[in-house]
Amino acid sequence: MQNLTLYQKHQQFDEFFMINHNIPVNMRLLADDFVLPEIDDLHQHMPYEFQIASELSAIDTKALRPLRRLGEHAIELAEFLNHQSRKIDLMMSLILQQHANHKHTYDSIQFGGGGIVLSCENELSIGGTIELKLFLREEASAIFCFAEVIACKPVDDTYHVSLIFTRIREEDQDLLVTASLHLQTANLRKRKNQEKT
């Protein structure tokens, strides 16, 4: 990623589907000499609450996997466990959102698996390194990652800042892709229902 040209970063940013949607995001500009952690070490840089949420998600996945082999007898049990898991996800989401630093909270304009576009009052320099915490209310989860500023355009009284993810766990990137597709499906369903009425 660091050896890519700005043009290549824009191409990579555009490879993923982006949805226009507002999610709260904590953004913190890091010093120019900040050294990005290796992707395998990203977990160690996460705030403790994010580490716990990550562990809970991994436990859910492992717990449900053996039930698939039990066939139709396990359907009701799996459904029950999914509801329990959802309750835990909602509680963790509440805890993570309380961890948000509201002084550094911004609203997204668009997001996807490759990056995010934020509305920001101040201009940010291209190439700046950013620490991000994304709060996905619809998925009852949050993501910690690092990003780089690849564009900063003035729009009305603000700036639209495009950030490409430079250090993000694969499962978190998958979550963003899934969340964007869920939101698109919900929007299409809503539009279809409005057309019927």
Side-chain angles (χ1 to χ4, degrees):
M1 172 73 68
Q2 290 159 328
N3 297 327
L4 298 179
T5 66
L6 185 58
Y7 175 74
Q8 290 170 321
K9 289 174 185 174
H10 276 279
Q11 283 186 311
Q12 193 170 333
F13 180 84
D14 292 334
E15 282 177 6
F16 288 86
F17 168 75
M18 298 280 281
I19 187 160
N20 295 330
H21 191 72
N22 181 296
I23 59 171
V25 178
N26 270 184
M27 176 177 74
R28 186 168 67 100
L29 182 62
L30 300 171
D32 291 339
D33 60 352
F34 179 81
V35 177
L36 284 171
E38 293 301 320
I39 196 73
D40 294 337
D41 299 330
L42 185 58
H43 191 77
Q44 297 169 13
H45 289 263
M46 290 180 174
Y48 182 67
E49 294 87 346
F50 284 76
Q51 290 179 21
I52 294 297
S54 173
E55 289 296 319
L56 286 172
S57 178
I59 289 168
D60 281 347
T61 304
K62 289 175 187 168
L64 291 174
R65 195 174 296 137
L67 293 178
R68 293 190 189 121
R69 286 183 248 135
L70 298 176
E72 62 186 66
H73 301 294
I75 292 173
E76 289 180 15
L77 178 58
E79 191 173 320
F80 171 77
L81 291 174
N82 276 326
H83 287 302
Q84 296 304 311
S85 174
R86 179 71 179 160
K87 286 196 300 191
I88 293 169
D89 287 347
L90 289 168
M91 287 302 297
M92 277 310 301
S93 176
L94 177 66
I95 291 166
L96 290 168
Q97 288 190 39
Q98 289 175 344
H99 182 76
N101 185 337
H102 297 291
K103 281 194 310 188
H104 301 287
T105 299
Y106 299 84
D107 293 322
S108 72
I109 297 165
Q110 290 183 310
F111 78 89
I116 191 164
V117 180
L118 300 178
S119 176
C120 186
E121 292 176 6
N122 303 317
E123 185 174 7
L124 296 180
S125 301
I126 305 299
T129 302
I130 307 288
E131 178 190 276
L132 291 176
K133 295 171 190 164
L134 291 75
F135 300 95
L136 303 169
R137 289 187 185 120
E138 290 81 2
E139 302 295 321
S141 57
I143 293 169
F144 176 87
C145 62
F146 293 99
E148 180 184 329
V149 179
I150 59 168
C152 187
K153 300 175 183 171
V155 177
D156 298 325
D157 295 336
T158 63
Y159 292 91
H160 286 189
V161 180
S162 298
L163 302 165
I164 187 171
F165 300 131
T166 52
R167 294 293 187 277
I168 185 168
R169 296 178 322 140
E170 191 174 324
E171 55 266 39
D172 288 335
Q173 194 166 36
D174 290 345
L175 178 61
L176 285 167
V177 170
T178 302
S180 64
L181 294 175
H182 284 171
L183 287 164
Q184 183 193 34
T185 302
N187 289 345
L188 290 172
R189 219 177 267 134
K190 188 193 254 182
R191 194 177 307 149
K192 192 174 181 180
N193 290 337
Q194 287 173 344
E195 288 171 1
K196 285 181 181 177
T197 57

